Amino acid sequence: MKAEQAYPLPIALDAMGGDYGVEPNVAGAVAAARAGVAVLLVGREPQIHAELAKHAGSSSLPVRVIDTPDVIGMDEHARDVRSRRDASINVCTRLVKEGRAAAAVTMGHSGAAMASALLTLGRLGGVERPAMLTHLPAKNGFVTLLDVGANADVKPGYLAQWALLASVYLQVVEDRRDPTVGLLSIGEEDHKGSQLVLDAHALLRGLHGQGVNFYGNVEGRDIFQGTTDIVVTDGFTGNVVLKLAEGEAKVLLGWVKEALGSSLKAKAGGLLVRGALKGLAKRLNPSTYGASLLLGVNGLTFIGHGSSDEQAVKNSLLRAARAHESDLMGRLTAATAAAAAQRPG
Amino acid sequence: MKAEQAYPLPIALDAMGGDYGVEPNVAGAVAAARAGVAVLLVGREPQIHAELAKHAGSSSLPVRVIDTPDVIGMDEHARDVRSRRDASINVCTRLVKEGRAAAAVTMGHSGAAMASALLTLGRLGGVERPAMLTHLPAKNGFVTLLDVGANADVKPGYLAQWALLASVYLQVVEDRRDPTVGLLSIGEEDHKGSQLVLDAHALLRGLHGQGVNFYGNVEGRDIFQGTTDIVVTDGFTGNVVLKLAEGEAKVLLGWVKEALGSSLKAKAGGLLVRGALKGLAKRLNPSTYGASLLLGVNGLTFIGHGSSDEQAVKNSLLRAARAHESDLMGRLTAATAAAAAQRPG
């Protein structure tokens, strides 16, 4: 076994979370550990050990198990995190709070995960509401979208704060210099949009050059075009966008496959293009982008799809490790403190 | 020339409207006229006649020109419809108001078109706000989405009225029996969503069986799945959905083409599958679905993309004629009157 000292702090993974339970979680953890990330598997020890045993050589990897029998199921209530103190998601966020884990990662109940993070870790100083930040494929790579569902009803000030936090995130974790921020609206003109957008636009204009490189309004079509690095919106619209984008990609790829089977000629061609299309399918697969970051709580928390597979779990753990190594929390804290100091009054 | 009596009422087309001016409008009008639809071309007569001359045999078609020199440009203000009484869009809606045209169709300034329709035709009795209704491709055909941009800020009652009107539209014009209505939200559960959605949900439950076949909440992923025939949402979210859906389809098809050119083997296959993919591109092209219907004004009004091509113009005119022939306005009036009679108090 490698010396544990080589791995500064492990990532706590809610090992039972998600639609498929322990299997993809353990497989993803093993894959991440092979890539050098230490993992704490938080969940039912017997099941986790049985899964670990399927992976040859896993006993020499930096993977440890924390036996946690209680798990909040996908169909239970988010508010259960209050009464079930030792539920696996609460153990994960507590490990972060206590400095024993670098980040909490879960593919389980997203409402419960948000509630647990808020309850245990609290909000980052000066942040009114945390937001879920995620990535979507776009021309020239990916686009960063938030909020994708933490807040269905928002105030203009939330959007301005999220723009600042997301800008720090992209610079620190993804090495994008001076990322551009677009405000999602229904017309590029400044005077178009809902009242929320009009008010948020004014606030974002005020932040331009002070930690936010504000591009202006963007439209639905700009998301896949990658017009801006970041697209900021309320959690209702953002969640609809995320699920529409994923759903459309799935249906369209299905139609492409259907078209390739529509005639003998197309079938022959389909065999030749199969490899090329596989790369595209990978690019459109949410697993490629891993879990969403809960931005604005006082500790790293990543929340993924319930349907996450091994690859999604692995990529989420790698991103969590990268966020920790680049001191994302320290940089976010500094940025919000600087913004608070600049505020008049 | 065929006897004019064979064509009950012509459709008034704003012949100068749209990003490409008179060319696609005249070409689309000629194509629609060849399919039996009478068209009034409202715009600058010399330019229209010059375009018509390019279409052999167009002089024997049921196409007439109404010389209207003033046109509200794409970059002018919607409020100009108030002061420029003889702008082409105002002439179109006035022809409908006076019973001289069956419908007004424009690919021009959509804000101006909405304002002109409201000003000239007024609202349908009992309707608080008109909505833009459009079609998107989906599994098993298409899905009907509204509002896609007429109202950025809405009240719950608007959504309930739109559900009723859209149900009538689908039954009358598209022959869908008892179409299902989904309320766009961020979770299928009744208790999830914004305050607007929670309130609208309660109203729609109350309309279930009274002209609305309410399915419940749907999510972004349900749109392309075609889970319901109709998806109702506010004009902000709907516009984002429409533009994202179109933008994503365009980018994804571009990626498919790119993938097919990525290697010699893929290129060879690409040649074989080209025909099959063309059908898919057509299915995803907004032109296939034509203009959006402005639902809730007291007269048929269709507003299309500024970028509409000949096919989009033709399909819009055909849909307008179908709406007129099936007495959509009479059926909408009856449905809103029945709903008002059922209302308590």
Side-chain angles (χ1 to χ4, degrees), chain B residues 30-72:
Chain B
V30 166
R34 289 206 167 108
V37 175
V39 183
L40 291 176
L41 289 164
V42 179
R44 294 173 192 145
E45 190 161 25
Q47 282 171 260
I48 296 173
H49 272 305
E51 274 303 314
L52 277 172
K54 296 181 189 168
H55 297 273
S58 66
S59 60
S60 66
L61 290 170
V63 172
R64 281 195 301 132
V65 180
I66 297 186
D67 188 30
T68 313
D70 188 23
V71 174
I72 295 176

Side-chain angles (χ1 to χ4, degrees), chain A residues 179-210:
Chain A
T180 50
V181 174
L183 174 64
L184 191 57
S185 187
I186 61 174
E188 286 167 23
E189 303 87 342
D190 290 8
H191 64 276
K192 280 200 177 175
S194 60
Q195 195 56 52
L196 170 73
V197 165
L198 297 180
D199 295 343
H201 188 103
L203 291 176
L204 284 162
R205 276 260 167 273
L207 281 178
H208 185 67
Q210 300 186 13

Side-chain angles (χ1 to χ4, degrees), chain B residues 40 45 84 91 103 146 151 171 182 185 195 210 240 248 269 271 277 309-310:
Chain B
L40 291 176
E45 190 161 25
R84 291 158 65 180
V91 172
L146 79 168
N151 310 268
Q171 289 180 74
S185 188
Q195 196 56 51
Q210 300 186 13
V240 168
E248 179 169 351
L271 289 174
L277 288 178
D309 58 13
E310 168 186 341

Side-chain angles (χ1 to χ4, degrees), chain B residues 26-341:
Chain B
V26 167
V30 166
R34 289 206 167 108
V37 175
V39 183
L40 291 176
L41 289 164
V42 179
R44 294 173 192 145
E45 190 161 25
Q47 282 171 260
I48 296 173
H49 272 305
E51 274 303 314
L52 277 172
K54 296 181 189 168
H55 297 273
S58 66
S59 60
S60 66
L61 290 170
V63 172
R64 281 195 301 132
V65 180
I66 297 186
D67 188 30
T68 313
D70 188 23
V71 174
I72 295 176
M74 298 299 269
D75 50 355
E76 295 189 280
H77 281 283
R79 62 170 180 268
D80 284 6
V81 295
R82 291 192 169 269
S83 54
R84 291 158 65 180
R85 205 176 168 270
D86 289 330
S88 59
I89 183 64
N90 279 335
V91 172
C92 288
T93 53
R94 205 151 60 229
L95 285 164
V96 175
K97 171 83 174 172
E98 293 167 355
R100 293 161 61 202
V105 175
T106 181
M107 309 302 150
H109 193 304
S110 58
M114 283 189 267
S116 175
L118 260 173
L119 199 68
T120 309
L121 300 166
R123 283 174 286 138
L124 204 63
V127 173
E128 290 180 273
R129 294 289 169 86
M132 292 278 284
L133 175 152
T134 202
H135 299 302
L136 281 175
K139 282 188 176 176
N140 312 322
F142 64 88
V143 63
T144 298
L145 177 72
L146 79 168
D147 175 23
V148 295
N151 310 268
D153 290 296
V154 311
K155 292 178 182 171
Y158 303 174
L159 299 185
Q161 289 189 333
W162 299 339
L164 179 68
L165 297 175
S167 298
V168 173
Y169 164 80
L170 264 195
Q171 289 180 74
V172 171
V173 181
E174 304 293 343
D175 285 325
R176 292 253 176 131
R177 279 191 60 179
D178 206 18
T180 49
V181 174
L183 174 64
L184 191 56
S185 188
I186 59 173
E188 286 166 24
E189 303 88 340
D190 291 7
H191 64 277
K192 280 202 178 174
S194 60
Q195 196 56 51
L196 170 74
V197 164
L198 297 179
D199 295 344
H201 188 102
L203 291 176
L204 283 163
R205 275 259 167 273
L207 282 178
H208 185 65
Q210 300 186 13
V212 174
N213 183 4
F214 185 48
Y215 169 89
N217 291 354
V218 292
E219 297 187 276
R221 66 170 64 97
D222 291 300
I223 296 173
F224 270 74
Q225 286 290 340
T227 304
T228 56
D229 296 305
I230 296 163
V231 173
V232 64
T233 188
D234 64 273
F236 184 87
T237 310
N239 188 274
V240 168
V241 162
L242 175 65
K243 289 177 179 164
L244 169 65
E246 291 176 1
E248 179 169 351
K250 214 170 157 182
V251 170
L252 260 55
L253 276 185
W255 286 348
V256 169
K257 278 181 200 153
E258 223 175 74
L260 299 186
S262 61
S263 70
L264 270 178
K265 189 175 149 191
K267 268 184 199 161
L271 289 174
L272 294 171
V273 303
R274 198 154 46 173
L277 288 178
K278 265 193 189 153
L280 176 58
K282 189 183 165 191
R283 188 171 182 179
L284 293 173
N285 185 345
S287 297
T288 307
Y289 301 88
S292 301
L293 168 65
L294 184 62
L295 193 62
V297 289
N298 199 9
L300 292 173
T301 309
F302 291 82
I303 305 173
H305 265 276
S307 63
S308 290
D309 58 13
E310 168 186 341
Q311 197 208 346
V313 173
K314 177 193 168 190
N315 287 342
S316 303
L317 291 166
L318 295 183
R319 174 168 286 133
R322 205 157 70 235
H324 175 67
E325 282 155 22
S326 54
D327 189 27
L328 175 62
M329 289 313 303
R331 297 286 296 272
L332 289 171
T333 307
T336 50

